[in-house]
């Protein structure tokens, strides 16, 4: 009998503690999601001229902060506006060099004539997103779909070639479009999220191959994005 009484007292105490703890737990009705992000992408050149090919891994790294602004009472719909930085490389067989007049010229070269040939850029980005998720203030494992638009300012670009013509490097080429913009989509569950970027304007402006073919190529980025509160 004594054991039953002690068990009842312990049970009552534990229940009372649990109820008190639950009562003292305040669910944040003003919670926000996914303030910081980091992404890694494989970069693909799109709308390329004939015989222009990519080789190796063309990678992109992206980090930034997005201000999450819910637009409904449940807070599963939101607008996101942020600021970020990305660096991207494109390994391919387009040689960017200068002629005797110091003008930049563009030629497609044989892949067997070089060991390295790429151009890279560094971009300050302004992402804008419409966000939908299944999260709550206490559930951190949820589905999300974020669709948006990203505006970028390319503040630095450079090219590197190492091959039969020697070592060739150039930086801050005027023909690179400083303004870059495109559509974005990220979707997934919990930690693992697919990310895609589709560039809407050309990487280069007023640039053409020696045979007169205009270089109107854009970029597509595919990879993974990770969000942090």
């Amino acid at each position: 009998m004594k054991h039953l009484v002690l068990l009842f007292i312990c049970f009552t105490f534990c229940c009372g503690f649990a109820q008190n703890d639950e009562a003292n737990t305040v669910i944040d009705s003003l919670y926000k999601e996914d303030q910081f992000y980091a992404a890694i992408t494989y970069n693909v050149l799109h709308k390329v001229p004939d015989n222009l090919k990519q080789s190796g891994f063309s990678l992109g790294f992206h980090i930034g902060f997005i201000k999450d602004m819910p637009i409904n009472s449940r807070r599963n719909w939101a607008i996101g506006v942020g600021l970020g930085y990305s660096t991207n490389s494109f390994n391919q067989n387009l040689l960017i060099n200068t002629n005797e007049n110091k003008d930049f010229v563009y030629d497609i070269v044989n892949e067997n004539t070089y060991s390295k040939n790429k151009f890279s850029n560094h971009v300050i980005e302004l992402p804008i997103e419409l966000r939908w998720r299944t999260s709550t203030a206490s559930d951190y494992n949820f589905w999300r779909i974020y669709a948006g638009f990203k505006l970028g300012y390319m503040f630095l670009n450079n090219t590197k070639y190492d091959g039969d013509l020697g070592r060739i490097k150039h930086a801050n080429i005027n023909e690179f479009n400083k303004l870059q913009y495109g559509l974005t989509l990220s979707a997934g569950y919990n930690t693992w999220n697919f990310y895609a970027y589709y560039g809407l304007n050309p990487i280069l402006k007023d640039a053409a191959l020696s045979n007169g073919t205009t270089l109107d190529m854009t970029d597509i980025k595919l990879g993974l994005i990770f969000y942090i509160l």
Side-chain angles (χ1 to χ4, degrees):
M1 187 68 180
K2 291 182 179 180
H3 293 293
L4 291 176
V5 173
L6 289 173
L7 182 61
F8 177 77
I9 293 173
C10 289
F11 179 77
T12 304
F13 176 80
C14 290
C15 288
F17 180 82
Q19 291 174 357
N20 185 63
D21 183 69
E22 183 178 351
N24 290 332
T25 300
V26 178
I27 299 299
D28 183 7
S29 62
L30 300 178
Y31 78 96
K32 299 176 181 179
E33 296 289 357
D34 301 340
Q35 303 280 42
F36 295 92
Y37 67 88
I40 181 171
T41 59
Y42 177 73
N43 300 333
V44 181
L45 291 172
H46 183 49
K47 298 180 182 179
V48 298
D50 294 339
N51 299 320
L52 196 155
K53 301 177 181 178
Q54 289 187 246
S55 59
F57 288 98
S58 299
L59 295 179
F61 298 95
H62 319 263
I63 58 173
F65 171 83
I66 293 182
K67 177 67 174 178
D68 188 81
M69 298 175 286
I71 56 177
N72 65 334
S73 58
R74 185 185 165 187
R75 307 181 75 79
N76 65 322
W77 284 92
I79 299 294
V81 179
L83 183 66
Y85 160 79
S86 76
T87 178
N88 303 276
S89 66
F90 298 86
N91 296 284
Q92 30 63 47
N93 62 338
L94 176 68
L95 174 63
I96 302 176
N97 203 0
T98 55
N99 58 21
E100 60 275 7
N101 298 322
K102 303 300 180 181
D103 297 322
F104 282 99
V105 292
Y106 304 83
D107 288 294
I108 294 176
V109 294
N110 191 301
E111 298 174 68
N112 298 322
T113 61
Y114 62 84
S115 59
K116 176 186 292 185
N117 186 51
K118 68 176 183 178
F119 62 81
S120 306
N121 61 43
H122 299 266
V123 184
I124 296 296
E125 299 179 324
L126 175 65
I128 304 171
E129 299 176 341
L130 175 62
R131 300 174 145 202
W132 172 85
R133 61 274 182 124
T134 62
S135 66
T136 66
S138 58
D139 184 7
Y140 301 103
N141 298 325
F142 54 87
W143 292 96
R144 62 168 66 81
I145 299 176
Y146 298 162
F149 177 84
K150 182 175 285 187
L151 178 67
Y153 176 77
M154 186 188 303
F155 65 91
L156 177 64
N157 64 72
N158 56 70
T159 68
K160 293 181 180 180
Y161 169 93
D162 192 354
D164 291 355
L165 299 177
R167 291 187 175 181
I168 302 172
K169 294 183 179 181
H170 297 289
N172 295 323
I173 300 170
N174 290 331
E175 280 81 359
F176 276 86
N177 253 325
K178 290 187 178 296
L179 189 65
Q180 295 288 312
Y181 53 87
L183 303 176
T184 63
L185 176 67
S186 58
Y189 179 77
N190 197 15
T191 302
W192 299 98
N193 297 276
F194 169 78
Y195 173 80
Y197 168 88
Y198 184 87
L200 295 177
N201 70 320
I203 297 175
L204 296 162
K205 61 179 180 180
D206 301 325
L209 297 175
S210 56
N211 62 9
T213 302
T214 303
L215 290 170
D216 292 325
M217 57 189 180
T218 60
D219 60 333
I220 297 174
K221 302 181 178 74
L222 304 171
L224 295 174
I225 188 167
F226 305 91
Y227 291 102
I228 307 169
L229 290 179

